[in-house]
Amino acid sequence: MVQIGYTMMTEQAGPRDLVGHVVGAERVGFDFSVTSDHYFPWLESQGHASYAWSVLGAAAQATERIPLMTYVTCPTTRYHPAVVAQKAATMQFLSRGRFRLGLGSGENLNEHVVGGGWPAAHVRLEMLEEAVEIIRSLFTGGNVNHHGLHFDVENAKLWDLPDTLPPIGVAVSGERSCELAGHLADLLIATEPKRALISAFDRHGGAGKPKVGQLPICYDTDRDAAVARAHDQFRWFGSGWPVNSELPAPAGFAGATQFVRPEDVARSIPCGDDVDAVVEAVSPYVDAGFTEVALVQIGGDNQEPYLDWAQQKLLPALREL
């Protein structure tokens, strides 16, 4: 049975609301949760971008059961990998073993703020690979000194290291990232239901490991209102990873999506209160081999009615998958 997750999207709700929402997700029966880690929203209409790690710490204390996960953190530019290792170890303590560290090569939107420039895609993957190796080294508990192609670590050690280490997930989009994830990660992360990604991950050492996907939906009893909200806040979603990873600011995403129509968004994102439409959208992930799918309810002010609907209708239908 595929597990169904809840997304704390830091771009569309403030920090206190995010914690309240994941408490609600635990209450209504979601199997796990994931959290985005942004410095900017994709579009100004989303209106938020709080610090994900503070939200996660608060969520760990406010919940009891639901697993927590970054989806995803970039450990190469805005954060040094040695700092990410420390944050992840601390989160594993605070959550009492419920945390997974999801990592990716990042987006210019969030990483440009430290003024280090934005490397080419192949360099970003090199940096990600080296970063994961550093984090793994620190997870062993000893002193780490590292002088690599992209990072230096001087006499680092994690003094609070949990007995059960946080599993590491790596986001993939093509063959090279699948190769990296297959031999370095404990699970795969992807936002598209492509069987080729699963096959490549398995081929490079990922067979038998969890595969976590993500799907946006926009619940509302008024379908027209749902379509309008999805278009207002999520029309960037269909631009594709090569575009989304390069644009530096919300204004860039607004410009890149200025000709996207509401009906275009409605074709790619389930909108309204049709349970069957969501089941149909989740099915390709299941067919491709994903073991978990995190749903994103679009609209920070529309989480409570969504959680009620999920408990009463959506989750029971998805359990049948």
Side-chain angles (χ1 to χ4, degrees):
M1 181 184 296
V2 65
Q3 293 191 312
I4 303 300
Y6 176 83
T7 299
M8 286 190 285
M9 194 170 188
T10 60
E11 305 94 291
Q12 66 176 16
R16 292 175 63 89
D17 287 336
L18 289 166
V19 175
H21 295 159
V22 77
V23 169
E26 179 178 72
R27 172 179 51 81
V28 305
F30 279 91
D31 298 311
F32 68 100
S33 69
V34 303
T35 307
S36 59
D37 185 356
H38 270 236
Y39 204 93
F40 277 85
W42 298 98
L43 294 167
E44 288 190 9
S45 57
Q46 292 178 313
H48 296 275
S50 55
Y51 183 53
W53 291 88
S54 296
V55 172
L56 283 164
Q61 298 304 292
T63 58
E64 294 290 336
R65 172 194 60 81
I66 194 166
L68 304 164
M69 178 181 177
T70 50
Y71 202 99
V72 292
T73 282
C74 176
T76 64
T77 307
R78 193 167 30 125
Y79 309 136
H80 190 283
V83 177
V84 172
Q86 184 188 36
K87 293 194 288 189
T90 299
M91 266 303 304
Q92 187 71 323
F93 273 112
L94 290 174
S95 65
R96 298 173 297 280
R98 292 180 285 139
F99 181 67
R100 294 184 292 180
L101 176 61
L103 301 174
S105 58
E107 302 100 11
N108 195 10
L109 176 69
N110 305 303
E111 307 307 316
H112 78 271
V113 297
V114 296
W118 189 235
H122 75 279
V123 176
R124 300 200 298 268
L125 283 176
E126 284 180 2
M127 296 172 72
L128 178 60
E129 184 170 20
E130 188 175 341
V132 175
E133 290 170 347
I134 291 169
I135 293 168
R136 290 280 192 202
S137 295
L138 285 163
F139 278 178
T140 65
N143 284 68
V144 173
N145 288 280
H146 174 91
H147 300 285
L149 181 62
H150 300 289
F151 300 105
D152 291 313
V153 180
E154 294 284 354
N155 192 31
K157 178 181 177 178
L158 298 181
W159 287 90
D160 288 290
L161 195 64
D163 292 334
T164 301
L165 296 171
I168 295 176
V170 168
V172 303
S173 58
E175 182 73 22
R176 176 69 184 94
S177 56
C178 287
E179 179 183 1
L180 188 162
H183 78 269
L184 282 181
D186 302 305
L187 56 135
L188 170 143
I189 294 168
T191 57
E192 296 179 280
K194 293 182 177 179
R195 188 183 297 272
L197 296 176
I198 302 295
S199 298
F201 179 65
D202 287 348
R203 190 167 61 251
H204 291 295
K209 298 177 182 179
K211 288 89 173 175
V212 187
Q214 190 177 54
L215 172 72
I217 68 173
C218 195
Y219 164 77
D220 200 296
T221 54
D222 182 339
R223 186 176 185 276
D224 290 341
V227 171
R229 187 167 70 248
H231 178 261
D232 180 52
Q233 296 191 22
F234 240 80
R235 63 184 182 274
W236 56 271
F237 185 75
S239 300
W241 194 249
V243 174
N244 289 346
S245 63
E246 298 294 340
L247 296 177
F253 284 91
T257 59
Q258 61 183 309
F259 299 116
V260 176
R261 302 168 301 173
E263 55 265 36
D264 300 326
V265 174
R267 279 195 290 269
S268 60
I269 296 175
C271 295
D273 60 356
D274 184 352
V275 169
D276 291 339
V278 180
V279 172
E280 183 178 350
V282 171
S283 293
Y285 288 87
V286 179
D287 294 341
F290 285 82
T291 58
E292 306 174 39
V293 179
L295 302 179
V296 184
Q297 160 65 355
I298 299 171
D301 296 332
N302 302 89
Q303 299 299 307
E304 293 302 329
Y306 164 69
L307 290 171
D308 291 340
W309 177 69
Q311 181 181 33
Q312 296 168 15
K313 296 184 178 181
L314 181 60
L315 290 176
L318 289 173
R319 300 291 183 223
E320 297 181 6
L321 284 172

